Protein backbone atom coordinates (compact mmCIF):
# COMPACT_ATOMS: atom_id res chain seq x y z
CA UNK A 1 0.00 0.00 0.00
CA UNK A 2 2.91 2.29 -0.79
CA UNK A 3 1.34 4.57 -3.40
CA UNK A 4 -2.38 5.11 -2.81
CA UNK A 5 -4.06 6.35 0.34
CA UNK A 6 -7.03 4.01 -0.06
CA UNK A 7 -6.10 0.50 1.07
CA UNK A 8 -8.64 -1.12 -1.27
CA UNK A 9 -7.52 0.64 -4.45
CA UNK A 10 -3.84 0.16 -3.70
CA UNK A 11 -3.74 -3.59 -3.16
CA UNK A 12 -1.52 -5.52 -5.49
CA UNK A 13 0.24 -8.84 -5.67
CA UNK A 14 3.98 -8.58 -5.06
CA UNK A 15 5.93 -11.84 -5.00
CA UNK A 16 8.43 -12.21 -2.17
CA UNK A 17 11.95 -13.47 -2.62
CA UNK A 18 13.68 -15.82 -0.19
CA UNK A 19 15.68 -12.86 1.17
CA UNK A 20 12.49 -10.83 1.73
CA UNK A 21 10.92 -13.75 3.60
CA UNK A 22 14.07 -14.06 5.73
CA UNK A 23 14.01 -10.34 6.60
CA UNK A 24 10.30 -10.51 7.44
CA UNK A 25 11.09 -13.48 9.71
CA UNK A 26 13.77 -11.45 11.53
CA UNK A 27 11.33 -8.58 11.90
CA UNK A 28 8.65 -10.87 13.36
CA UNK A 29 11.12 -12.43 15.84
CA UNK A 30 12.29 -8.99 17.01
CA UNK A 31 8.65 -7.88 17.37
CA UNK A 32 7.83 -10.94 19.46
CA UNK A 33 10.98 -10.75 21.59
CA UNK A 34 10.44 -7.09 22.49
CA UNK A 35 6.63 -7.03 22.53
CA UNK A 36 6.36 -4.59 19.63
CA UNK A 37 2.93 -3.92 18.13
CA UNK A 38 3.64 -2.24 14.80
CA UNK A 39 3.51 -4.18 11.54
CA UNK A 40 5.86 -1.76 9.81
CA UNK A 41 9.46 -0.85 10.64
CA UNK A 42 9.64 1.69 13.45
CA UNK A 43 12.28 3.43 15.49
CA UNK A 44 12.45 2.46 19.14
CA UNK A 45 12.98 4.86 22.00
CA UNK A 46 13.87 3.80 25.53
CA UNK A 47 12.79 6.11 28.34
CA UNK A 48 14.27 6.40 31.85
CA UNK A 49 11.87 3.79 33.23
CA UNK A 50 12.97 1.19 30.66
CA UNK A 51 9.77 1.39 28.63
CA UNK A 52 10.13 1.11 24.87
CA UNK A 53 8.12 3.46 22.66
CA UNK A 54 7.56 2.75 18.97
CA UNK A 55 8.10 5.86 16.84
CA UNK A 56 6.73 6.05 13.30
CA UNK A 57 9.50 6.42 10.74
CA UNK A 58 9.72 9.81 9.07
CA UNK A 59 12.56 11.93 7.77
CA UNK A 60 12.62 13.80 11.10
CA UNK A 61 12.63 10.68 13.31
CA UNK A 62 15.35 9.07 11.17
CA UNK A 63 17.50 12.21 11.44
CA UNK A 64 17.11 12.19 15.24
CA UNK A 65 18.01 8.48 15.36
CA UNK A 66 21.11 9.04 13.24
CA UNK A 67 22.29 11.82 15.54
CA UNK A 68 22.07 9.43 18.49
CA UNK A 69 23.70 6.45 16.77
CA UNK A 70 26.38 8.06 14.60
CA UNK A 71 27.17 11.34 16.28
CA UNK A 72 28.87 13.72 13.87
CA UNK A 73 31.01 11.33 11.83
CA UNK A 74 31.21 11.18 8.02
CA UNK A 75 29.00 8.08 7.84
CA UNK A 76 26.26 10.01 9.62
CA UNK A 77 26.51 12.90 7.15
CA UNK A 78 26.41 10.55 4.16
CA UNK A 79 23.31 8.73 5.43
CA UNK A 80 21.68 11.98 6.54
CA UNK A 81 22.13 13.50 3.08
CA UNK A 82 20.48 10.40 1.57
CA UNK A 83 17.54 10.60 4.02
CA UNK A 84 17.02 14.34 3.41
CA UNK A 85 17.06 14.11 -0.39
CA UNK A 86 15.30 10.79 -1.02
CA UNK A 87 11.54 10.44 -1.34
CA UNK A 88 9.96 7.78 0.87
CA UNK A 89 8.61 5.97 -2.22
CA UNK A 90 12.16 5.65 -3.57
CA UNK A 91 11.69 1.89 -4.09
CA UNK A 92 9.08 2.45 -6.80
CA UNK A 93 11.54 4.63 -8.71
CA UNK A 94 14.36 2.10 -8.35
CA UNK A 95 12.06 -0.62 -9.64
CA UNK A 96 10.84 1.46 -12.59
CA UNK A 97 14.37 2.46 -13.60
CA UNK A 98 15.57 -1.11 -13.27
CA UNK A 99 12.82 -2.70 -15.39
CA UNK A 100 12.71 0.07 -18.00
CA UNK A 101 15.96 -1.23 -19.51
CA UNK A 102 14.67 -4.82 -19.75
CA UNK A 103 12.17 -5.07 -22.61
CA UNK A 104 11.59 -8.78 -21.87
CA UNK A 105 9.32 -7.98 -18.94
CA UNK A 106 5.73 -7.60 -20.15
CA UNK A 107 4.33 -4.12 -19.52
CA UNK A 108 1.23 -5.61 -17.88
CA UNK A 109 3.51 -7.24 -15.25
CA UNK A 110 5.21 -3.91 -14.54
CA UNK A 111 1.81 -2.19 -14.32
CA UNK A 112 0.50 -4.89 -11.96
CA UNK A 113 3.56 -4.60 -9.73
CA UNK A 114 3.19 -0.81 -9.52
CA UNK A 115 -0.61 -0.88 -9.21
CA UNK A 116 -1.12 0.98 -12.50
CA UNK A 117 -4.30 0.18 -14.38
CA UNK A 118 -7.33 1.71 -16.03
CA UNK A 119 -10.83 0.78 -14.94
CA UNK A 120 -11.65 -2.60 -16.45
CA UNK A 121 -8.02 -3.58 -17.03
CA UNK A 122 -7.09 -4.63 -13.49
CA UNK A 123 -4.73 -7.59 -13.46
CA UNK A 124 -6.90 -9.42 -10.93
CA UNK A 125 -10.21 -8.52 -12.59
CA UNK A 126 -12.96 -11.07 -13.13
CA UNK A 127 -12.33 -11.55 -16.87
CA UNK A 128 -8.58 -11.03 -17.01
CA UNK A 129 -6.20 -13.22 -18.98
CA UNK A 130 -3.39 -12.30 -16.58
CA UNK A 131 -1.06 -15.26 -15.94
CA UNK A 132 -0.41 -15.12 -12.18
CA UNK A 133 2.02 -18.06 -12.14
CA UNK A 134 4.25 -16.54 -14.83
CA UNK A 135 3.96 -13.09 -13.24
CA UNK A 136 5.16 -14.44 -9.90
CA UNK A 137 8.17 -16.25 -11.42
CA UNK A 138 9.12 -13.30 -13.63
CA UNK A 139 8.78 -10.65 -10.95
CA UNK A 140 10.52 -12.74 -8.29
CA UNK A 141 13.53 -12.96 -10.63
CA UNK A 142 13.45 -9.18 -11.11
CA UNK A 143 13.26 -8.62 -7.35
CA UNK A 144 16.21 -10.96 -6.74
CA UNK A 145 18.27 -9.02 -9.26
CA UNK A 146 17.38 -5.69 -7.62
CA UNK A 147 18.22 -7.13 -4.21
CA UNK A 148 21.72 -8.03 -5.36
CA UNK A 149 22.32 -4.37 -6.24
CA UNK A 150 20.63 -2.67 -3.27
CA UNK A 151 20.25 -4.97 -0.24
CA UNK A 152 22.73 -6.56 2.15
CA UNK A 153 22.69 -10.30 2.74
CA UNK A 154 22.59 -9.79 6.49
CA UNK A 155 20.79 -7.16 8.52
CA UNK A 156 21.69 -6.98 12.22
CA UNK A 157 18.49 -5.34 13.40
CA UNK A 158 18.88 -6.27 17.04
CA UNK A 159 21.95 -4.11 17.48
CA UNK A 160 19.57 -1.13 17.17
CA UNK A 161 16.99 -2.35 19.71
CA UNK A 162 17.43 -0.41 22.95
CA UNK A 163 18.19 -2.47 26.01
CA UNK A 164 16.71 -1.73 29.40
CA UNK A 165 18.87 -0.16 32.09
CA UNK A 166 20.27 -2.57 34.66
Amino acid sequence: QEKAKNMFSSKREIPLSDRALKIIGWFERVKQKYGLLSNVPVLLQLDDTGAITEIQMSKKSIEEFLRLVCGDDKEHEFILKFVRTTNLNFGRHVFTSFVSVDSLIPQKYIDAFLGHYSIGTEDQGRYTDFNNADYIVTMRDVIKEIEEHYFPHLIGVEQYVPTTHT
Side-chain angles (χ1 to χ4, degrees):
Q1 189 180 322
E2 177 185 358
K3 182 180 175 189
K5 300 279 185 216
N6 181 321
M7 103 173 150
F8 298 109
S9 68
S10 63
K11 288 186 178 181
R12 56 191 190 272
E13 186 173 318
I14 298 177
L16 298 175
S17 67
D18 292 337
R19 190 180 309 182
L21 292 170
K22 191 175 185 179
I23 291 169
I24 291 168
W26 291 335
F27 180 70
E28 290 298 325
R29 284 191 297 279
V30 168
K31 274 180 57 175
Q32 185 176 16
K33 182 175 180 177
Y34 295 97
L36 305 177
L37 302 174
S38 181
N39 288 317
V40 297
V42 293
L43 295 171
L44 304 175
Q45 183 176 28
L46 182 67
D47 68 18
D48 293 337
T49 67
I52 295 176
T53 303
E54 299 175 43
I55 300 172
Q56 184 176 2
M57 289 180 75
S58 66
K59 287 188 178 199
K60 181 181 178 186
S61 65
I62 292 170
E63 284 184 40
E64 289 172 7
F65 171 77
L66 287 172
R67 265 194 285 292
L68 289 171
V69 174
C70 301
D72 290 327
D73 63 15
K74 289 183 182 186
E75 179 184 1
H76 167 258
E77 286 306 316
F78 178 77
I79 296 170
L80 194 54
K81 181 178 179 182
F82 177 82
V83 169
R84 286 180 178 151
T85 59
T86 304
N87 292 328
L88 293 177
N89 64 352
F90 177 65
R92 294 178 63 82
H93 299 285
V94 169
F95 173 80
T96 304
S97 298
F98 199 83
V99 297
S100 67
V101 297
D102 189 349
S103 61
L104 299 176
I105 300 169
Q107 185 62 46
K108 64 183 175 183
Y109 289 2
I110 295 169
D111 290 343
F113 190 88
L114 294 171
H116 294 170
Y117 60 85
S118 301
I119 293 176
T121 63
E122 300 93 341
D123 53 281
Q124 301 302 314
R126 179 178 283 177
Y127 302 108
T128 185
D129 65 349
F130 195 82
N131 184 334
N132 280 305
D134 186 58
Y135 166 77
I136 289 169
V137 169
T138 301
M139 298 315 289
R140 189 175 284 146
D141 288 344
V142 169
I143 291 167
K144 286 178 185 176
E145 209 173 327
I146 291 171
E147 284 176 341
E148 286 303 313
H149 290 282
Y150 292 96
F151 289 93
H153 285 275
L154 178 64
I155 299 175
V157 295
E158 286 204 65
Q159 66 185 327
Y160 300 107
V161 176
T163 56
T164 57
H165 298 124
T166 54

